Amino acid sequence: VPASRFTWTLILHHCWQYDPSNCHTHTVQSWTGISSGSFVAPDHEYPAWLELQLTVTDSGGLTDTKSIRLDPLTADVNFNSSPSGLQLVVGSSGSTAPFTRTLILNSTTAMSAPTPQTLNGQSYAFSSWSDGGAQSHNLVINGAGTFTATYSQVVPTTKFPSAAVIVTASSRAQEPPPM
């Protein structure tokens, strides 16, 4: 069968993080007229996997389609806050730290440390990430690891009511009496 009768379709299956049985698909790309090759996998949040379909049409017009499932390599990445219990956002969802996310290796994932936050009646402001990144930045997943957002306690400022000082002409300093 000549390459002109080959059609390849790359389909992304993406599932909702909290319900992996709730999935939907997106056609990423189709190629016609090639019998072999390679492609770069799209960057996506986990859980997701790729389906590579090949449809071949013979000289008589009969077609057959076969698919192969391509599961990504993943890593479990831990996210902490100091103090513990603050909200962090990884990818498209936030959680109370500490938590662990399964992420696709070599994918780019956004992480953010919202500020200010209140925990047990105390206000905290973002100070730093353990990887030295900005408050919101992207992370390329190259394996398991731990990232900690450090916060500083915000000391409330106290405002005193302004006191009025009234000076009148009769309030002059008097000299002490002679001895």
Side-chain angles (χ1 to χ4, degrees):
V1 178
S4 61
R5 297 186 176 268
F6 283 60
T7 300
W8 300 85
T9 304
L10 183 63
I11 302 164
L12 173 69
H13 291 255
H14 174 73
C15 305
W16 193 54
Q17 176 183 357
Y18 301 106
D19 181 7
S21 66
N22 184 4
C23 301
H24 61 277
T25 61
H26 303 276
T27 299
V28 176
Q29 187 173 358
S30 290
W31 305 267
T32 300
I34 57 172
S35 59
S36 66
S38 63
F39 62 89
V40 175
D43 197 353
H44 210 281
E45 282 187 272
Y46 186 82
W49 54 278
L50 298 173
E51 177 184 357
L52 184 60
Q53 281 185 353
L54 171 61
T55 301
V56 179
T57 304
D58 69 13
S59 58
L62 297 174
T63 64
D64 191 19
T65 301
K66 299 290 182 197
S67 294
I68 186 170
R69 178 178 169 143
L70 304 169
D71 288 296
L73 297 175
T74 62
D76 287 337
V77 181
N78 301 305
F79 294 90
N80 296 320
S81 67
S82 177
S84 185
L86 296 173
Q87 292 289 309
L88 301 176
V89 178
V90 176
S92 61
S93 63
S95 296
T96 301
F99 60 91
T100 301
R101 290 276 169 84
T102 300
L103 301 172
I104 297 174
L105 284 177
N106 298 315
S107 68
T108 300
T109 300
M111 60 187 206
S112 180
T115 193
Q117 294 189 49
T118 301
L119 178 65
N120 299 326
Q122 177 58 55
S123 184
Y124 294 91
F126 171 78
S127 294
S128 64
W129 275 104
S130 57
D131 69 342
Q135 178 185 345
S136 295
H137 65 284
N138 289 333
L139 172 69
V140 175
I141 307 305
N142 57 17
T146 299
F147 298 89
T148 301
T150 299
Y151 284 77
S152 299
Q153 192 173 19
V154 176
V155 179
T157 58
T158 305
K159 292 188 176 184
F160 295 98
S162 58
V165 177
I166 302 172
V167 177
T168 63
S170 63
S171 62
R172 293 188 187 168
Q174 295 181 4
E175 292 184 27
M179 292 202 200

